[in-house]
């Protein structure tokens, strides 16, 4: 039985690795060339896209920015999971905001603009500290600009003036001073059964995820319930099948949704070692119509993204509980090259292990590691 994934990067690769023991073969589509490839070896298949669509039992995506014609072609097969509406809501910040507002889900105050001159009115309404996001094709902090003071407005307008804002509007958000970022990764099967992983705490560097810790420390029942209620509202509205991730900002006791990801998510990579069934396997189980696996946590786990760097010693594997997942990509600045999962029996133990890892991981590429190690030791 084969599963087809649109996109052939590390998420498709990790879905393929998780599918293998289940006797399921994952094929991937390179969305630029439309070739069908093996997501692990990257060898191009002789199968055409149409043949791969016909032979798949289920089709899914590894990221939401799929060319519209490809998404529609695949949707016509009736095998796409989650639905095209869910994927498009994740791909378009304007649709996403409408979805959140329609469901009365708290999110960041915002304005949508289709002309740079509308920025002045947005500043009037939201204040001068803003984060400006392209409504489509942004990820890892790309497609974002920041405004810190009104005096920067002319330069920002000049920078944005080359964009076609009628085609791709901008979502202007108030820059929030939240306490921390959390995410809920959960999975829903075709019969509406849901399983959640615990909230993960996510630390970003320059708009890109750097470290996740799960279960997030300092989460009470009320906060966890709030996150689950929001997840359920979204999953039910979208009649969702598969893994869905919801990113939150925590302000006091309130969670505001930052964005949703209709797919397996970087902040769920810790589940490969820290949970009974990982997010990749659970996504495949859900879309293939198999029973969901337990999401029970097996140990507190930290996930460290390896970004723009390939020159560290694999001797770091001598730190007990450390697991490397390497994506086999050519190194480029800001590119996610792999990740580490580190498991321990306690947060303090986790902190000590992160501390040991600082000897192998240069601070230049792992800027948050030392601080996070010290914080965890004191949880
Ligand atoms: P990713 O692909 O990593 O999820 P993205 O490009 O889709 O990122 P966002 O998640 O919207 O973009 O933003 C990236 C990060 O920028 C957030 O995780 C957060 O750290 C910061 N950020 C985004 N919006 C705001 C905001 N309104 N106020 C403060 N910080 C923000
Ligand atoms: Mg995000």
């Amino acid at each position: 039985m084969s599963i087809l994934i649109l996109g052939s990067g590390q998420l498709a690769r990790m879905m393929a690795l998780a599918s293998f023991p289940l006797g399921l073969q994952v094929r991937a589509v390179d969305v630029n060339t439309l070739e069908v490839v093996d997501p692990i070896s990257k060898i191009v298949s002789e199968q055409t896209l149409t043949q791969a669509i016909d032979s798949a039992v289920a089709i899914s995506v590894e990221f939401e920015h799929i060319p519209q014609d490809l998404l529609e072609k695949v949707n016509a097969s009736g095998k796409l999971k989650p639905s095209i509406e869910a994927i498009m809501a994740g791909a378009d910040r304007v649709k996403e905001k409408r979805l959140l507002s329609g469901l009365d889900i708290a999110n960041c105050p915002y304005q949508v603009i289709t002309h740079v001159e509308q920025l002045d009115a947005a500043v009037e309404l939201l204040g001068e500290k803003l984060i400006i996001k392209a409504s489509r094709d942004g990820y890892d902090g790309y497609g974002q600009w920041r405004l810190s003071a009104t005096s920067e407005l002319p330069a920002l307008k000049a920078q944005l003036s080359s964009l076609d804002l009628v085609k791709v509007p901008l979502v202007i958000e108030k820059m929030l001073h939240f306490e921390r970022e959390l995410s809920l990764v959960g999975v829903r099967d075709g019969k509406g059964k849901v399983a959640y992983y615990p909230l993960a705490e996510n630390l970003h560097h320059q708009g890109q995820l750097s470290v996740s810790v799960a279960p997030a420390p300092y989460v009470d029942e009320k906060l966890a319930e709030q996150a689950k209620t929001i997840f359920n509202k979204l999953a039910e509205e979208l009649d969702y099948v598969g893994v869905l991730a919801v990113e939150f900002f925590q302000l006091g006791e309130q969670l505001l949704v930052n964005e949703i990801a209709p797919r397996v998510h970087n902040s769920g990579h810790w589940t490969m070692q820290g949970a009974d069934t990982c997010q990749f396997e659970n996504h495949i189980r859900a879309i293939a119509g198999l029973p969901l696996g337990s999401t029970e946590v097996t140990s507190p786990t930290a996930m460290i993204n390896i970004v723009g760097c390939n020159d560290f010693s694999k001797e770091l594997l001598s730190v007990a509980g450390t697991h490397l997942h390497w994506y086999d990509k050519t190194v480029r600045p800001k590119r996610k090259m792999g990740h580490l999962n580190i498991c321990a029996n306690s947060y303090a133990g986790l902190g000590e292990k992160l501390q040991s890892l600082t000897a192998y991981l240069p601070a230049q590429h792992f800027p948050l590691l030392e601080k996070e190690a010290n914080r965890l030791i004191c949880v």
Side-chain angles (χ1 to χ4, degrees):
M1 287 217 303
S2 73
I3 307 267
L4 190 64
I5 302 292
L6 306 183
S8 56
Q10 68 263 22
L11 300 181
R13 173 190 168 96
M14 289 187 276
M15 283 189 262
L17 291 169
S19 298
F20 195 73
L22 297 172
L24 294 170
Q25 191 192 6
V26 170
R27 296 198 176 92
V29 180
D30 179 324
V31 300
N32 297 314
T33 63
L34 299 185
E35 284 169 330
V36 177
V37 301
D38 178 307
I40 299 172
S41 67
K42 302 288 190 278
I43 291 171
V44 177
S45 161
E46 282 175 8
Q47 246 189 354
T48 63
L49 176 59
T50 306
Q51 287 167 337
I53 292 172
D54 289 345
S55 62
V57 291
I59 307 177
S60 194
V61 300
E62 72 153 6
F63 72 138
E64 48 278 24
H65 307 296
I66 307 288
Q68 189 68 21
D69 47 351
L70 174 59
L71 203 53
E72 278 166 16
K73 179 181 166 82
V74 167
N75 189 42
S77 72
K79 301 176 187 175
L80 184 62
K81 291 177 184 114
S83 65
I84 192 166
E85 291 76 21
I87 296 164
M88 285 166 66
D92 185 330
R93 292 187 194 275
V94 176
K95 285 198 174 76
E96 181 175 56
K97 287 288 193 190
R98 271 195 213 120
L99 173 70
L100 296 170
S101 304
L103 293 170
D104 249 341
I105 295 175
N107 60 87
C108 185
Y110 72 99
Q111 293 285 302
V112 177
I113 67 164
T114 52
H115 195 286
V116 281
E117 292 309 327
Q118 294 166 332
L119 262 174
D120 298 296
V123 170
E124 285 280 304
L125 272 160
L126 301 169
E128 62 180 350
K129 299 212 183 323
L130 299 174
I131 180 152
I132 293 112
K133 303 180 179 180
S135 56
R136 290 205 296 274
D137 293 328
Y139 68 99
D140 283 349
Y142 292 108
Q144 293 192 3
W145 301 263
R146 291 179 183 212
L147 184 77
S148 315
T150 318
S151 57
E152 296 170 5
L153 258 178
L156 180 66
K157 283 185 190 171
Q159 215 184 338
L160 299 175
S161 63
S162 60
L163 304 176
D164 184 348
L165 302 189
V166 174
K167 207 164 149 213
V168 182
L170 295 173
V171 173
I172 316 293
E173 286 184 359
K174 190 181 176 68
M175 179 70 81
L176 293 178
H177 295 287
F178 45 78
E179 270 131 73
R180 58 176 176 166
E181 295 190 60
L182 298 166
S183 61
L184 184 69
V185 174
V187 59
R188 187 173 186 266
D189 72 12
K191 296 180 194 133
K193 185 172 177 228
V194 176
Y196 319 90
Y197 295 98
L199 284 165
E201 180 166 345
N202 303 318
L203 290 92
H204 289 76
H205 176 66
Q206 295 176 346
Q208 195 178 30
L209 183 64
S210 182
V211 178
S212 288
V213 175
Y218 312 115
V219 172
D220 60 18
E221 196 58 31
K222 239 174 99 189
L223 198 69
E225 279 309 312
Q226 205 183 134
K228 287 181 190 170
T229 303
I230 292 171
F231 182 98
N232 289 345
K233 274 191 185 181
L234 287 162
E236 277 162 30
E237 173 71 17
L238 298 166
D239 196 14
Y240 201 90
V241 179
V243 163
L244 169 69
V246 186
E247 297 179 13
F248 299 104
F249 297 140
Q250 183 181 353
L251 285 98
E253 309 229 306
Q254 200 192 12
L255 294 177
L256 297 189
V257 171
N258 170 31
E259 60 172 357
I260 63 168
R263 54 173 166 80
V264 289
H265 193 253
N266 198 171
S267 72
H269 289 6
W270 67 272
T271 61
M272 295 169 92
Q273 265 74 42
D276 188 78
T277 313
C278 75
Q279 63 162 350
F280 302 102
E281 180 174 340
N282 257 333
H283 183 68
I284 296 295
R285 287 192 190 208
I287 66 169
L290 297 170
L292 299 180
S294 160
T295 49
E296 200 168 314
V297 175
T298 49
S299 62
T301 303
M303 189 285 312
I304 302 172
N305 267 340
I306 303 169
V307 179
C309 157
N310 61 0
D311 55 352
F312 58 88
S313 165
K314 291 212 173 114
E315 281 302 309
L316 57 74
L317 293 171
S318 64
V319 177
T322 300
H323 301 265
L324 174 65
H325 299 273
W326 191 248
Y327 309 151
D328 256 337
K329 301 197 293 195
T330 315
V331 70
R332 277 207 303 259
K334 284 205 82 176
R335 193 170 207 199
K336 288 176 183 165
M337 302 298 296
H339 72 269
L340 293 161
N341 282 340
I342 303 99
C343 302
N345 296 326
S346 63
Y347 290 121
L350 209 46
E352 278 161 20
K353 290 182 183 194
L354 295 195
Q355 188 93 71
S356 306
L357 286 170
T358 59
Y360 301 95
L361 300 171
Q364 172 204 355
H365 293 293
F366 301 88
L368 308 180
L369 196 54
E370 177 101 49
K371 199 170 155 213
E372 184 58 4
N374 294 334
R375 183 185 78 116
L376 285 170
I377 287 169
C378 300
V379 168

